[in-house]
Amino acid sequence: MGKLVSHSEDDLVFLDETVRVSGDGKLGASSDVWQVMIIDDDADVHSATTFALSNVEIQNRPLAFLHAYSAEQAREILAKEPHIAVILLDVVMEQQDEGLQLVHYIRDVLHRAEVRIILRTGQPGYAPEIDAIQQFDINDYKTKSELTRIKLYTVVTAAIRSYEQICTINSSSSGLDMILRASTELMALQTFEEFTTGVITQIARLLSLPPDGLFCIQEQLHNQENALFIVAAAGKYSDLINHPLSSIEDASIDKTLTRALHEKRNIYGREFTALHFTGNAFRNFAAFFRTERPLNDIELRLLEVFCSNISVGLANISLVTRLHNSAFYDSLTKLPNRTRLKEIIDENLISTKNQPTTLALIDIDHFAETNDTLGHQFGDLLLLAVATRLQSRLGDRLIVARVGGDTFGVLGDDIQVNPAAVLAQFERPFSIDGQDVQLSATVGLVRLSEHKGRGVEALKNAHIALKRAKHQQRTGHLYFSRNMGIDIRERVNMMHALRAAFEERHLSVVYQPQVDMATRMPVGAEALLRWTTEDGSSIPPSRFIPIAEYSGLIIELGEWVLRQACQELVRVQRLGFTDFMVSVNVSQVQFRHPHFLSMLRNALHDTNAPPHCIELEITESMAMEEPDALIKLLDQITATGVSIAIDDFGTGFSSLSHLQKLSVDRLKIDRAFVTEITDSSRGSSIAEMIIQLGRNLELDIIAEGVEDERQAEILTALGCPMGQGYLFAKPMTSDALHSWLGNHKQI
């Protein structure tokens, strides 16, 4: 077969492995087939599975596939088809627990105990817990990524054999009931040791024999040889637990179990039984029982079925153990992860015996640069060194966890976990592969005695303190205070309120006219965003624009404002103001967005606004950042016909040589310098300098914040041709703008 590979974790992956098939793959009129039902909401999984199992015959019978893409569709098929042998079921479909609910329906509502159910998932984080595997009769559980074609064939083959055997021995319902009860009891056991001991007890009960048996695991030694070790034992063998099988006196037991593992089958003698349990690539299992008599046919069949279930149980125990470790412990450092640390904090919060406790989050400064420079393998060794030092040097009774890429959490009493002690761990360099690396760290702390809430809130508060500490000064620390939480909550509330206001159309665009100061006739207008709450109060842009930028909502808001301005320009020009210009402010977040240019082009195209009458205003600080990238972007914007103005000019520290290279059309004198024009102590020096600079660079000049005639006179005398401010007009709605323009038409 060819290779079928998917790059998604949710898909099956089939590698080049050979599966032996028989027959020509064609299904005739005979209904003598194994029905395999695939339940998954991903059509690719259906096609990949049928492709992998095409032309396969098991026990000289071909496979027939039934397909369900939802739980509801699966229930309809199950009601009509009573002879389904195997169900391949996705754990997560419409809802996270949909798979387990369907298992419940099959087992407890339809009472279909014979069908074999194999759970599959592409999302190990949604794997069922031990109690879920215990509650439902799940026959196998695999992550989709581990189901290579040969493994899928092996799993389905084992399931069909198990199904056939169950059907064959239905006449012996008592034996079958015993197997089911035994499987349920075994699934309730939490550890590998409990499970293997339970296997011996249950097999003895199934065969009505004394529990004289042992359970072995095959391990690979350092010399690459395989050896059997006894992990569970009962009866006459109970003293052999944790011994190598080769150490027992009866060498025939070692020989028989080795043969069962080598031949991958059960071996039945006149006075003993050797059982083989399918393991994984690293481990295989075997058990030996002293029967003192040959087993009859029904006992042999019961044992075959039971062994099939036990193999699944062993795999499940191993899988759940791995998933548990993955869910609660960091794979690199083996430290508790964020999830486990939250649990530990919760346990600490409800304990009355602990001393006053502090949680510290430690972030390694500039670790990303170190990682990129020296390589990820070196970075991993560095993280391991940090973890080791924190564990060994801060104290014995504290908890060290890794809560993020380069962020560690430390939980302990106030004396051990203090900023000085934590930061002291980074004073000496870390030696990695003979190379000394000096690191620094920033720390955010929260005292649990001052904290009200659960572990998740404590971690969140520590993160707030850490972020504040990094913002203020790296290589420092901050304790969380209540005011920090209030600030964050207010910002979050503002963010949600702003999004709701946008969706409910409580935001609006107003327009402040711009005039020729000599004639006082309109030449354009600046589009300004306003937020009016339901009670009629206004929230100033200085409060909500930073929130919009922080949350990313500014991207949607900015596009909406631009489109509103373009539509208004079209309306104004229809009134006869053909040279009217509309200016739109662009935030730094918008300007850096990769799709800004295409958004601008689409807005111009959709509204039919003439590009040469649209002006984008950027701040002086934006104009000075990333010169090469900015020059390219401004050239692309200019190519659309749109003009560029630098807003608040004079408040920054522009490089004149850089300014000359930019495709800029106009400078706006900041209102602060307009106000100073009439101040005798400072006068008009800065405004005059900006106007002269604009002339030298052949740029248009406009002053904003013009509020009285004296300011207008001075600006005009200095050579500033255009102005904007309350002297001429306040910001106004679209309808008010039209009326204002009607009163300012040239006769």
Side-chain angles (χ1 to χ4, degrees), residues 620-621 623-624 646 649-659 693:
E620 185 178 4
S621 60
M624 293 303 107
I646 298 183
F649 191 79
T651 58
F653 301 93
S654 298
S655 165
L656 297 183
S657 62
H658 175 52
L659 189 61
L693 176 64

Side-chain angles (χ1 to χ4, degrees), residues 249-510:
E249 295 180 0
D250 191 344
S252 64
I253 297 178
D254 188 359
K255 182 178 179 181
T256 301
L257 289 178
T258 302
R259 178 186 164 197
L261 288 168
H262 178 72
E263 298 178 5
K264 293 181 170 54
R265 68 180 182 90
N266 297 339
I267 297 175
Y268 303 107
R270 295 186 60 84
E271 296 182 347
F272 69 87
T273 292
L275 303 176
H276 166 260
F277 302 101
T278 303
N280 53 36
F282 308 101
R283 286 180 167 184
N284 281 299
F285 311 98
F288 181 89
F289 286 88
R290 185 65 63 182
T291 62
E292 305 298 344
R293 61 173 175 80
L295 302 180
N296 59 40
D297 288 344
I298 194 65
E299 287 175 328
L300 294 176
R301 292 174 182 173
L302 287 170
L303 268 183
E304 293 289 339
V305 174
F306 189 73
C307 287
S308 177
N309 284 349
I310 294 307
S311 294
V312 172
L314 286 166
N316 283 341
I317 286 290
S318 300
L319 174 63
V320 170
T321 301
R322 291 200 307 273
L323 289 173
H324 180 272
N325 290 338
S326 176
F328 293 102
Y329 293 90
D330 174 52
S331 59
L332 174 66
T333 63
K334 309 307 178 187
L335 295 174
N337 62 12
R338 180 186 183 88
T339 303
R340 179 58 185 142
L341 181 59
K342 283 190 292 187
E343 292 186 343
I344 295 172
I345 296 171
D346 283 335
E347 294 166 3
N348 188 282
L349 288 170
I350 63 175
S351 173
T352 59
K353 299 178 181 179
N354 289 344
Q355 300 177 13
T357 304
T358 294
L359 168 67
L361 290 186
I362 306 163
D363 186 85
I364 302 174
D365 297 332
H366 309 296
F367 180 78
E369 290 88 336
T370 303
N371 216 19
D372 293 340
T373 303
L374 301 177
H376 292 280
Q377 185 174 2
F378 189 93
D380 287 346
L381 294 174
L382 201 53
L383 290 172
L384 286 168
V386 171
T388 300
R389 186 176 292 183
L390 292 175
Q391 284 181 295
S392 61
R393 300 296 175 87
L394 283 179
D396 297 332
R397 294 192 300 273
L398 54 74
I399 301 295
V400 178
R402 185 185 178 200
V403 299
D406 58 351
T407 304
F408 291 87
V410 177
L411 182 70
D413 65 65
D414 293 349
I415 297 175
Q416 290 177 302
V417 184
N418 66 81
V422 171
L423 292 173
Q425 306 310 313
F426 295 88
E427 292 176 354
R428 293 185 299 103
F430 293 84
S431 180
I432 308 296
D433 286 343
Q435 181 176 348
D436 285 347
V437 180
Q438 184 65 58
L439 296 178
S440 63
T442 306
V443 186
L445 307 99
V446 59
R447 294 183 178 92
L448 296 191
S449 59
E450 300 173 1
H451 169 75
K452 293 183 179 179
R454 301 186 60 192
V456 64
E457 286 86 11
L459 268 171
K460 181 180 69 176
N461 292 343
H463 270 293
I464 292 172
L466 175 62
K467 189 172 182 179
R468 289 286 183 91
K470 290 170 67 175
H471 180 72
Q472 292 183 10
Q473 179 187 2
R474 286 183 180 271
T475 318
H477 75 276
L478 271 181
Y479 278 91
F480 175 79
S481 67
R482 186 172 176 271
N483 288 337
M484 291 183 189
I486 293 173
D487 291 344
I488 292 293
R489 282 193 292 273
E490 286 181 350
R491 201 156 89 179
V492 170
N493 291 337
M494 174 76 76
M495 182 176 65
H496 290 308
L498 178 59
R499 181 169 291 278
F502 181 43
E503 294 172 352
E504 296 167 9
R505 301 185 179 181
H506 291 154
L507 300 180
S508 60
V509 178
V510 296

Side-chain angles (χ1 to χ4, degrees), residues 514 523-526 569 573 577-583 611-615 643 666:
Q514 299 169 339
V523 294
E526 180 180 2
L569 173 63
Q573 292 200 339
F577 295 87
T578 54
D579 294 326
F580 197 82
M581 178 81 71
V582 173
S583 301
H612 69 278
C613 291
I614 292 291
E615 180 180 71
S643 302
R666 181 152 64 168

Side-chain angles (χ1 to χ4, degrees), residues 539-546:
I539 298 177
S542 59
R543 284 191 63 196
F544 70 81
I545 292 297

Side-chain angles (χ1 to χ4, degrees), residues 10 83 173 420:
D10 294 331
H83 300 298
S173 59

